[in-house]
Amino acid sequence: MSTLVIVGTQWGDEGKGKIVDVLTKKADYVVRFQGGANAGHTLVINQKKYIFHLIPSGIFWPQTVCIIGNGVVVDPEVLIEEIEKLKNEGLNINPDKLMISERAHVIMPYHKALDLAREKKAKHHKLGTTCRGIGPCYEDKAARKGFRLIDLIYPNFFKEKLKSIIEEKNVILKYLGEKPIEFKEVYERYIKYGEYLKPYLTDVSQILWGAKKENKNILFEGAQGTFLDLDHGTYPYVTSSNTLAGNACCGTGLGPLDVDLVMGIIKAYTTRVGSGPFPTEIKNHIEEYLRTKGNEYGSTTGRPRRCGWLDLILVKTAIRLNSIKALALTKLDVLSGLEKVKICIGYEYKGKKIDYLPSSVLEINNLKPIYQELPGWKKDIKNIKNFEELPNETKLYIKTIEEYLGIPFYLISIGPERENCLILKNPFES
Ligand code: GDP
Ligand code: IMO
Ligand code: MG
């Protein structure tokens, strides 16, 4: 086994960054394949917190090459800031450490302006986006009006295309009541970004093909989560990329038969940031308990995350959609101290019991979760070093989930630090 894809099984923020960091100890490559600076992946190393939006979460392991694939939409301003911060920490962020696909699309200022303007104008039907320009950039990619990073190093080509595109965007911005974008400023700034990033640009597909042939350990780091997927999520309250494991291939240029294992990350409860349906959302004091104890505030926008009970219908669906054969459970420590814990094992819809997520948000909004109640546990489990030391009630919670899903847990995360993790099986060692 050498190629592992990691995806979130809920609505994002499952703790993917932390698990990626832990597993990177044995990885030669860590690769982002979709999303952009809407992602916020947190690592806590020696009590210091790092949040990455674009840089893959394996960056702190010296032996690992970090790659940004073609499926990612890159905001050069954010990326360069992240590179500079890491360099200031004394890290090697040379082109042998960080590689970026020439084919990755570029977030332009008008993407961010349009994202913001649409959210502002939407009033009652806001999607609650991160306003990072993600939707408008993927729109332009599909419309074949986007810029790829490689375009920034051909000034004349870039100039001509940019002029006509800005003309069109300014008509839309004017309609939305926003200020026009100034061509010259954007052109000059983006050419500079191109010069800065040029040494990092490469053909990622070829690099990964070579790595796979040499049987190197490659870890694909998903962003967002299964139910933010553009096709299979709670549309339209989703992001604008395919977040599923299948996109690890399209988003990097590795073929589908070259993926060996997909691991799903499950947060021990559910959160969602932004608008959209959320059947197991908690509407009493326990929501605030989880938010405070789990520090559930968006890593990218700082917004309070909505909190709810673990929904196994979602996770079961994610297992099917992603071919998940291994699981990691995170934030189990956050549930410590609760009298009782609940797990959703079905929904009631129009008086009938169903065990799937309907396609329409109108239907999802009317689901009534069916819960299995389990005893809680009081003990703080953060510093536990092996599985056997966990309280019996905690073990029962884990076992109930595992039996329902029929997929084994490889890791159990019990705190934000690297060390707060029980590794039951390392996928790179099987
Ligand atoms: P990601 O987007 O999936 O990488 O997740 P985020 O980083 O946005 O959010 C997860 C948050 O939970 C971060 O603040 C992590 O430091 C933290 N975290 C990760 N695993 C654990 C855990 O097992 N316990 C606790 N208490 N916090 C965790
Ligand atoms: P990570 O990788 C949680 C949500 C936004 C909004 C919707 C669309 O940290 O898990 P977008 O800006 O993508 O157009 O917003 O998707 N969203 C996330 N929620 N975690 C994320 O990433 C998210 N990225 C986007 O809040 O509801
Ligand atoms: Mg996050």
Side-chain angles (χ1 to χ4, degrees):
M1 134 79 224
S2 79
T3 324
L4 172 70
V5 180
I6 287 196
V7 288
T9 61
Q10 294 150 324
W11 278 291
D13 302 326
E14 294 91 349
K16 300 175 291 293
K18 185 221 160 135
I19 299 294
V20 169
D21 172 53
V22 168
L23 291 179
T24 302
K25 190 174 182 183
K26 296 270 158 81
D28 302 298
Y29 294 84
V30 177
V31 193
R32 277 278 307 267
F33 56 90
Q34 45 70 231
N38 49 349
H41 297 177
T42 315
L43 319 185
V44 185
I45 301 168
N46 298 330
Q47 290 163 22
K48 196 163 172 196
K49 188 168 169 171
Y50 301 88
I51 298 177
F52 294 116
H53 303 291
L54 283 165
I55 294 268
S57 301
I59 198 76
F60 285 111
W61 291 97
Q63 85 289 359
T64 309
V65 175
C66 287
I67 296 190
I68 296 178
N70 56 277
V72 176
V73 284
V74 175
D75 184 335
E77 194 178 344
V78 176
L79 180 59
I80 292 169
E81 200 184 307
E82 289 189 353
I83 295 173
E84 286 298 310
K85 259 195 195 151
L86 287 166
K87 279 187 176 168
N88 288 338
E89 295 252 341
L91 258 78
N92 154 31
I93 311 290
N94 295 329
D96 58 346
K97 173 74 183 171
L98 177 69
M99 300 180 184
I100 308 168
S101 171
E102 307 164 328
R103 294 178 167 87
H105 276 249
V106 184
I107 300 259
M108 303 295 293
Y110 45 80
H111 293 140
K112 291 189 261 194
L114 284 167
D115 199 354
L116 259 168
R118 286 179 188 157
E119 282 293 280
K120 209 162 81 186
K121 207 171 166 73
K123 286 200 183 105
H124 304 300
H125 297 286
K126 285 186 202 305
L127 293 176
T129 76
T130 59
C131 295
R132 297 297 188 267
I134 306 296
C137 185
Y138 279 117
E139 278 170 39
D140 275 357
K141 177 178 176 178
R144 291 147 299 170
K145 286 184 182 287
F147 289 105
R148 306 196 300 177
L149 282 168
I150 189 86
D151 299 334
L152 301 185
I153 62 175
Y154 292 103
N156 289 336
F157 171 81
F158 178 57
K159 195 178 204 170
E160 287 319 305
K161 191 168 160 188
L162 183 67
K163 253 187 206 154
S164 73
I165 286 183
I166 285 192
E167 246 174 58
E168 190 182 308
K169 299 296 179 194
N170 279 343
V171 175
I172 307 170
L173 284 170
K174 190 173 174 195
Y175 165 77
L176 293 169
E178 299 297 322
K179 281 201 314 240
I181 298 280
E182 201 200 315
F183 163 77
K184 190 167 174 284
E185 189 278 324
V186 176
Y187 172 73
E188 285 169 2
R189 189 151 56 93
Y190 274 68
I191 286 296
K192 283 205 189 105
Y193 292 150
E195 280 163 14
Y196 183 102
L197 293 173
K198 190 176 171 187
Y200 296 97
L201 300 186
T202 185
D203 187 335
V204 163
S205 174
Q206 291 199 45
I207 302 280
L208 292 178
W209 171 246
K212 182 69 188 168
K213 270 211 293 212
E214 287 178 24
N215 222 24
K216 297 281 186 200
N217 287 339
I218 309 172
L219 198 167
F220 292 90
E221 175 181 10
Q224 289 80 53
T226 296
F227 296 94
L228 288 173
D229 180 271
L230 181 57
D231 287 275
H232 298 278
T234 45
Y235 190 90
Y237 299 99
V238 293
T239 190
S240 295
S241 67
N242 286 109
T243 60
L244 300 185
N247 198 24
C249 295
C250 298
T252 59
L254 198 71
L257 296 184
D258 287 325
V259 170
D260 299 316
L261 182 69
V262 180
M263 178 183 280
I265 313 297
I266 311 176
K267 193 185 289 200
Y269 47 97
T270 314
T271 60
R272 173 159 210 171
V273 58
S275 322
F278 184 175
T280 62
E281 186 167 12
I282 300 174
K283 299 275 180 62
N284 58 34
H285 64 281
I286 295 177
E287 182 184 36
E288 197 46 48
Y289 182 88
L290 295 176
R291 185 179 296 130
T292 307
K293 194 145 184 244
N295 190 23
E296 295 297 353
Y297 293 89
S299 313
T300 300
T301 57
R303 292 175 291 174
R305 295 175 183 152
R306 299 153 66 194
C307 299
W309 297 112
L310 178 60
D311 185 339
L312 288 184
I313 301 299
L314 289 188
V315 179
K316 188 173 82 166
T317 310
I319 286 172
R320 167 164 56 81
L321 293 169
N322 293 288
S323 300
I324 290 170
K325 298 281 189 290
L327 292 170
L329 186 64
T330 62
K331 306 196 85 159
L332 191 57
D333 55 301
V334 177
L335 295 181
S336 299
L338 290 173
E339 208 58 47
K340 289 201 161 62
V341 283
K342 291 195 207 178
I343 300 177
C344 170
I345 48 164
Y347 305 124
E348 197 186 300
Y349 180 63
K350 291 189 173 168
K352 279 199 187 130
K353 189 182 166 195
I354 61 168
D355 65 354
Y356 61 89
L357 190 72
S359 300
S360 163
V361 287
L362 302 175
E363 294 167 13
I364 302 174
N365 275 333
N366 288 306
L367 297 175
K368 202 168 151 245
I370 300 169
Y371 289 114
Q372 179 175 350
E373 214 173 72
L374 293 167
W377 57 91
K378 290 269 176 287
K379 187 173 169 176
D380 179 3
I381 58 173
K382 236 181 214 153
N383 295 315
I384 280 179
K385 294 290 170 228
N386 59 69
F387 186 87
E388 283 317 310
E389 289 170 45
L390 288 171
N392 286 337
E393 293 81 2
T394 320
K395 285 188 201 148
L396 176 67
Y397 190 71
I398 298 169
K399 194 163 152 256
T400 308
I401 301 168
E402 209 168 39
E403 276 178 4
Y404 181 92
L405 299 171
I407 308 271
F409 281 117
Y410 280 43
L411 298 103
I412 311 248
S413 175
I414 46 177
E417 290 263 356
R418 248 184 202 168
E419 290 70 31
N420 307 136
C421 196
L422 307 173
I423 305 178
L424 310 178
K425 186 172 174 184
N426 191 320
F428 286 124
E429 285 170 355
S430 58

